[in-house]
Amino acid sequence: MAVELLIDESRIRERLGAMGRQIEDDYRDKPLTIVAVLTGSLIALADLVRQIRIPLRIALLQASSYRGATTAATTLVVNEAFAPDVVGRDVLLLDDILDTGQTLGALVEHLKDRGARSVRTAVLLRKIGRQIVPIEPDYCGFVIPDAFVVGYGLDYNDEYRHLPYVGVLGDS
Ligand code: 5GP
Ligand code: MG
């Protein structure tokens, strides 16, 4: 399928640099752990942390959402094989994209339950017009229109993650 360029590599690099400066200012002298949601945020994680020049830890989280058979509600199941120790840590939860907000909303609560001292959120992308759960990301790379995007970690059927840019997946 064709992928139409939406955000190129250099804009992403520049934006992650600016987010890195902000994170340095906000977390100086704090026990920062960046918790990245697998798999979509891996590329953003690798590029973002290399732009942050204060001490930090990295942890990963995996979660899958299931739509109920009889209701529209989705349940998020967190894979306990990745159980980052966040007790007493100032957590920055990083995901690739904020869409309905269900994933981030549930994971913030999960990390607080696990003993994080504080939990804030960062997303590379925020899609407009689809949010259900009222959550404001503390750090946001780009606001994008309501289209299905791939690349820079984001997949379609587990493909396209390796593209160095973010693009819109077309049907031709
Ligand atoms: P939410 O819980 O906010 O609805 O969804 C967040 C998750 O949905 C993301 O972590 C991502 O896996 C997936 N998602 C939402 N929109 C898109 C999109 O446009 N492209 C891709 N590849 N994944 C998306
Ligand atoms: Mg995801």
Side-chain angles (χ1 to χ4, degrees):
M1 272 186 278
V3 180
E4 189 194 330
L5 177 70
L6 186 65
I7 310 167
D8 71 24
E9 259 184 287
S10 65
R11 280 183 70 203
I12 298 173
R13 192 179 319 112
E14 197 178 307
R15 186 71 194 109
L16 289 179
M19 288 166 76
R21 297 294 82 72
Q22 234 182 314
I23 292 165
E24 286 172 358
D25 288 347
D26 295 348
Y27 287 94
R28 209 172 292 282
D29 301 319
K30 289 185 176 164
L32 171 62
T33 299
I34 297 188
V35 176
V37 184
L38 289 168
T39 302
S41 65
L42 274 186
I43 308 224
L45 172 71
D47 285 346
L48 176 65
V49 292
R50 285 179 291 175
Q51 303 230 36
I52 300 175
R53 297 156 304 188
I54 57 169
L56 60 83
R57 293 183 187 169
I58 295 173
L60 301 170
L61 205 61
Q62 192 191 33
S64 319
S65 52
Y66 297 94
R67 193 167 297 276
T70 53
T71 66
T74 55
T75 316
L76 196 77
V77 177
V78 177
N79 182 350
E80 289 300 326
F82 299 87
D85 181 6
V86 294
V87 175
R89 307 287 299 177
D90 289 310
V91 169
L92 181 58
L93 178 63
L94 172 69
D95 205 356
D96 50 4
I97 185 165
L98 174 66
D99 184 22
T100 65
Q102 293 178 104
T103 306
L104 275 191
L107 289 179
V108 166
E109 293 312 310
H110 177 82
L111 290 162
K112 284 182 181 163
D113 289 347
R114 297 193 69 97
R117 189 169 87 150
S118 69
V119 183
R120 284 175 153 196
T121 56
V123 292
L124 176 69
L125 307 171
R126 180 184 197 173
K127 209 184 274 191
I128 47 168
R130 291 192 22 104
Q131 207 171 326
I132 298 169
V133 175
I135 179 168
E136 280 301 310
D138 298 284
Y139 309 89
C140 174
F142 301 91
V143 174
I144 63 163
D146 183 6
F148 192 82
V149 292
V150 295
Y152 207 80
L154 292 110
D155 76 306
Y156 172 67
N157 277 348
D158 250 342
E159 292 179 20
Y160 303 98
R161 294 192 196 277
H162 64 107
L163 299 179
Y165 53 87
V166 172
V168 176
L169 193 64
D171 29 40
S172 56

